[in-house]
Amino acid sequence: MLTSRLKSSLIDPTSSTGLIWRLLSEYAATRWHRYAIAFALMAFAAGATALTAYLAGDVINKAYVSRDFHAVIQTSLILMLVFTLRGAATYGHSVILARIGTSIVAENQRRLFDRLQQQNLTYFSERHSTELIARLTSGAAAVNQTLSLVITAIGRDLLTLMALTAVMFVQDPIMSLVVFVIVPPVLFVLRKLVKRIKLVAMTQWHGGAQTLETLQETIQGIRLVKSFTLEDKMRERFHANVASVQGASNKMARVSNRSAPLIETLAGLAIACLMVYAGHRVINTGASPGEFFSFITAFLLAYEPAKRLARLNLDLNVALVNVRVLLDVIDSPPTEPSDEDRPPLKVTTARLEFRDVSFSYRPGEPTIRNMSFVAEPGRMTALVGPSGGGKSTVLNLILRFYEVGGGVIAIDNQDIASVSRRSLRSQVSYVSQDVFLFRTTIRENIAFGRPGATDAEIVAAARAAQAHDFISGFPKGYDTMVGERGLGLSGGERQRIAIARALVKNAPLILLDEATASLDSESEHYVQKAVAELCKGRTTLVIAHRLSTIMHADNILVIEAGEVTDSGRHDELLRKAGRYALFYRLQLQHQQEREPITASGG
Ligand SMILES: Nc1ncnc2c1ncn2[C@@H]1O[C@H](COP(=O)(O)OP(=O)(O)OP(=O)(O)O)[C@@H](O)[C@H]1O
Ligand SMILES: [Mg+2]
């Protein structure tokens, strides 16, 4: 189930210690002063714990040996104070660590998001969006978890253990040696478990990511799911994902707790030995009961931190699997790095030219072959041709979603590859085939065209895009919320909002990928008027599916298999009886027959 790409990236690209060092230097170093305070508080709490064990023995001696009630009361009061102070210290370091944790999670989320924005389209087409969501959520938390584990292991557990061991040694050095009976076998067993648990953690994460994927696809494709009655199929898929996560989680519980029976048994053995030896010391050699009591208290108090330390490697490795999942993304080099140091594009007339351009998505499979054409300033150039011919690719190249393989694309004689991407894109209005709307108000959606657009500009754009009337018809007008990806609006309405957005941008170059889905003739009419308004006086490149658009175009380029095979105006091309005439007969003529009025009007 796990792809080998994931497996190899997760199992061991860097050693666990290397990774921990990296986290410490990247995330902990900048927060060292806060860690220092937390550390000091933890050390204080550890000392207080050890003092408790020591004082417990002291009280026993005062009660049984010196029979001094006043001293017992005094020690008890000190004990009370020690507990209170330890409570305060624990509160302090817990809050500080939690705050550091939230700041690390936030930092990771920002870093991942920034890195994603520097990636190109190829990067996104290779990944499912939910994979990135899963990486972000589990990864950011795991970085924090790892650092917390390391810091609390050293600060709290190790210091407590050392202090308590010191107490044990002070009370009885020989007895202390018994403790070391437990350690070696436990370490041996834990080492073997670490490897297994990494694999389980990975399966668990992967299953979680797939569960999200199925959920998202079902929601986004809900029309498809319902209309094709795919409910059972999706349920099956979802149940399989959930079951795999459940299975992995159960396995995780078994593997991670497999050491518990052994540790407990050995601890019981050690305690029994201790009791026997201590009893012998008190009864036969006359040692004081306080030493014995203090030793046992220290031993019992040391038990929990020791157990946590023993598990540390296990817990760390689980967290590190998730850390790698996140760092994979953060470390992936930007495929579209910033090029702000390049000069900006200076547009005068917005003349667009393709000079001998070639391009391929995959090596050895050319999509665009030595293409040359000019889109004249202020004119509409229509791209037509069979599906898969390369029309959308032409627009992708102009926007530099992909870089050309050869030749030059020039705007006003400047090679677009030599100017900054941002300046290029800010001069281009792109209206895509499937309109994307953000989940916010219609007003905001239009304003995305140019952040800072005034209300008057938004309304003017909506009017020009033939959208004002239907927007005003909604009870909340421009403040109407649109659902995710524009649910709740008709296809024609969505298109007109997208055109209003492009109008607000007011860019000199328009790239329009006409929707293939046909609208009813009334919407068609409105969208057409909106398009005409958008293209007025601007250099426009339109991928045309509608005969009416094509007939209005100043120049038509027929694109087949990545080449321009014919060009000219509609009537010229029809008269030539070449490739266009063929294309027209196959794809467009029926539109004219169906809607003679729209087609011949204008
Ligand atoms: N991201 C991509 N990765 C790999 N190949 C791609 C990618 N996008 C498009 N292609 C391929 O490139 C060729 C041209 O695609 P393009 O989208 O430019 O066609 P089109 O002329 O716009 O077709 P349509 O009219 O159906 O929209 C097709 O064979 C397509 O399979
Ligand atoms: Mg296309």
Side-chain angles (χ1 to χ4, degrees):
M1 251 215 347
L2 286 169
T3 61
S4 58
R5 180 170 70 88
L6 262 176
K7 230 176 201 170
S8 64
S9 72
L10 294 184
I11 282 278
D12 227 356
T14 39
S15 73
S16 300
T17 14
L19 200 51
I20 290 171
W21 272 122
R22 172 172 169 194
L23 293 184
L24 285 174
S25 62
E26 251 174 57
Y27 296 94
T30 51
R31 300 172 170 83
W32 70 269
H33 40 284
R34 280 192 279 170
Y35 273 123
I37 299 174
F39 210 75
L41 290 171
M42 284 190 281
F44 181 83
T49 305
L51 190 60
T52 322
Y54 184 80
L55 289 176
D58 209 32
V59 172
I60 296 286
N61 275 346
K62 275 166 185 152
Y64 283 88
V65 183
S66 44
R67 302 198 148 270
D68 179 351
F69 187 58
H70 188 70
V72 169
I73 290 184
Q74 205 175 28
T75 313
S76 304
L77 285 176
I78 297 176
L79 256 176
M80 207 173 79
L81 185 69
V82 169
F83 265 85
T84 311
L85 291 178
R86 192 178 67 165
T90 305
Y91 169 82
H93 74 68
S94 304
V95 170
I96 292 175
L97 283 183
R99 290 178 64 114
I100 296 177
T102 55
S103 88
I104 288 175
V105 170
E107 179 182 331
N108 272 312
Q109 291 178 333
R110 286 191 291 262
R111 280 176 65 173
L112 180 122
F113 192 74
D114 288 347
R115 183 44 53 93
L116 283 185
Q117 298 224 66
Q118 292 170 350
Q119 302 297 0
N120 63 16
L121 289 184
T122 309
Y123 183 91
F124 291 102
S125 60
E126 283 170 357
R127 287 165 181 80
H128 199 275
S129 58
T130 49
E131 183 192 321
L132 296 168
I133 296 171
R135 281 174 189 269
L136 176 68
T137 42
S138 52
V143 171
N144 171 33
Q145 201 191 348
T146 307
L147 289 174
S148 287
L149 275 173
V150 172
I151 302 292
T152 51
I154 298 170
R156 190 186 62 198
D157 296 336
L158 196 62
L159 287 181
T160 308
L161 198 62
M162 275 161 44
L164 288 170
T165 312
V167 172
M168 287 191 263
F169 261 97
V170 168
Q171 303 296 12
D172 195 319
I174 298 176
M175 244 185 337
S176 310
L177 297 178
V178 180
V179 177
F180 295 105
V181 171
I182 312 180
V183 179
V186 170
L187 287 185
F188 178 73
V189 170
L190 285 167
R191 265 179 71 90
K192 301 199 76 169
L193 291 180
V194 165
K195 239 196 178 138
R196 286 191 68 91
I197 211 157
K198 275 190 192 173
L199 250 163
V200 179
M202 207 166 62
T203 320
Q204 202 179 17
W205 179 81
H206 193 69
Q210 288 199 322
T211 311
L212 272 180
E213 190 176 308
T214 309
L215 180 68
Q216 198 206 33
E217 287 193 339
T218 306
I219 294 170
Q220 289 192 343
I222 191 69
R223 286 161 198 276
L224 188 83
V225 170
K226 285 192 186 295
S227 65
F228 281 79
T229 57
L230 293 175
E231 286 95 343
D232 289 339
K233 191 161 180 54
M234 295 313 270
R235 183 181 304 120
E236 223 170 82
R237 208 174 121 186
F238 192 73
H239 284 196
N241 294 154
V242 169
S244 99
V245 176
Q246 195 181 8
S249 304
N250 288 341
K251 198 163 178 184
M252 172 71 85
R254 282 200 307 276
V255 176
S256 69
N257 290 305
R258 198 167 287 170
S259 57
L262 176 82
I263 295 183
E264 300 289 339
T265 311
L266 288 173
L269 179 72
I271 291 184
C273 293
L274 282 179
M275 301 277 178
V276 172
Y277 175 73
H280 154 77
R281 286 260 292 139
V282 173
I283 296 167
N284 299 334
T285 67
S288 71
E291 280 162 24
F292 171 58
F293 193 75
S294 171
F295 187 94
I296 294 292
T297 311
F299 181 82
L300 293 178
L301 283 175
Y303 187 49
E304 282 303 318
K307 235 170 41 180
R308 273 200 299 268
L309 277 176
R311 283 187 55 97
L312 177 65
N313 200 18
L314 223 53
D315 293 338
L316 266 182
N317 273 294
V318 173
L320 287 178
V321 165
N322 288 312
V323 169
R324 288 202 179 99
V325 155
L326 175 79
L327 291 183
D328 252 11
V329 180
I330 291 183
D331 291 345
S332 51
T335 39
E336 199 180 280
S338 163
D339 59 358
E340 286 303 294
D341 49 339
R342 304 225 183 123
L345 174 72
K346 289 193 194 70
V347 175
T348 46
T349 60
R351 177 179 184 274
L352 173 81
E353 185 180 2
F354 267 51
R355 278 184 223 135
D356 216 17
V357 171
S358 45
F359 170 74
S360 44
Y361 288 105
R362 283 177 290 256
E365 290 175 42
T367 305
I368 300 292
R369 306 157 200 258
N370 307 95
M371 187 183 277
S372 298
F373 67 84
V374 173
E376 295 294 347
R379 301 293 166 127
M380 181 191 274
T381 306
L383 307 181
V384 301
S387 179
K391 303 179 296 294
S392 297
T393 307
V394 167
L395 300 197
N396 288 341
L397 292 177
I398 297 172
L399 284 159
R400 277 181 66 194
F401 288 157
Y402 303 90
E403 303 287 340
V404 295
V408 169
I409 301 175
I411 294 175
D412 288 334
N413 262 323
Q414 301 152 74
D415 182 354
I416 61 167
S418 68
V419 299
S420 77
R421 248 183 248 107
R422 186 186 278 268
S423 71
L424 166 71
R425 289 174 186 165
S426 68
Q427 307 277 11
V428 180
S429 268
Y430 170 57
V431 183
S432 61
Q433 206 165 19
D434 47 342
V435 171
F436 184 90
L437 296 179
F438 293 94
R439 195 170 172 280
T440 174
T441 60
I442 292 181
R443 182 195 312 283
E444 283 275 315
N445 262 297
I446 297 178
F448 272 118
R450 183 163 48 84
T454 63
D455 271 2
E457 286 167 328
I458 290 169
V459 173
R463 274 187 201 283
Q466 313 290 314
H468 179 72
D469 287 344
F470 82 79
I471 296 173
S472 312
F474 295 139
K476 287 189 181 165
Y478 282 82
D479 292 319
T480 308
M481 290 289 288
V482 287
E484 220 168 288
R485 304 184 334 138
L487 245 59
L489 294 173
S490 78
E493 288 168 348
R494 274 204 294 275
Q495 284 176 28
R496 280 178 278 163
I497 289 182
I499 291 170
R501 180 156 67 195
L503 275 165
V504 161
K505 186 166 180 180
N506 196 17
L509 194 69
I510 308 285
L511 303 182
L512 184 65
D513 203 340
E514 229 175 39
T516 33
S518 55
L519 302 167
D520 61 83
S521 38
E522 196 189 339
S523 307
E524 171 92 34
H525 169 73
Y526 283 128
V527 171
Q528 230 174 71
K529 275 178 80 173
V531 167
E533 197 63 41
L534 177 66
C535 304
K536 204 190 279 169
R538 297 183 176 95
T539 309
T540 304
L541 213 58
V542 53
I543 297 178
H545 297 286
R546 300 193 187 101
L547 185 57
S548 50
T549 315
I550 298 173
M551 290 175 70
H552 286 119
D554 300 292
N555 190 21
I556 299 166
L557 304 173
V558 182
I559 295 185
E560 288 173 293
E563 288 173 311
V564 179
T565 52
D566 215 343
S567 68
R569 289 187 63 93
H570 174 67
D571 35 3
E572 283 168 28
L573 284 171
L574 270 189
R575 248 179 279 126
K576 271 200 330 203
R579 303 294 300 165
Y580 179 77
L582 191 69
F583 174 74
Y584 171 76
R585 271 208 310 282
L586 285 176
Q587 308 216 357
L588 299 172
Q589 202 167 24
H590 65 277
Q591 283 187 28
Q592 188 160 30
E593 284 153 11
R594 209 180 52 211
E595 285 171 44
I597 306 160
T598 332
S600 58

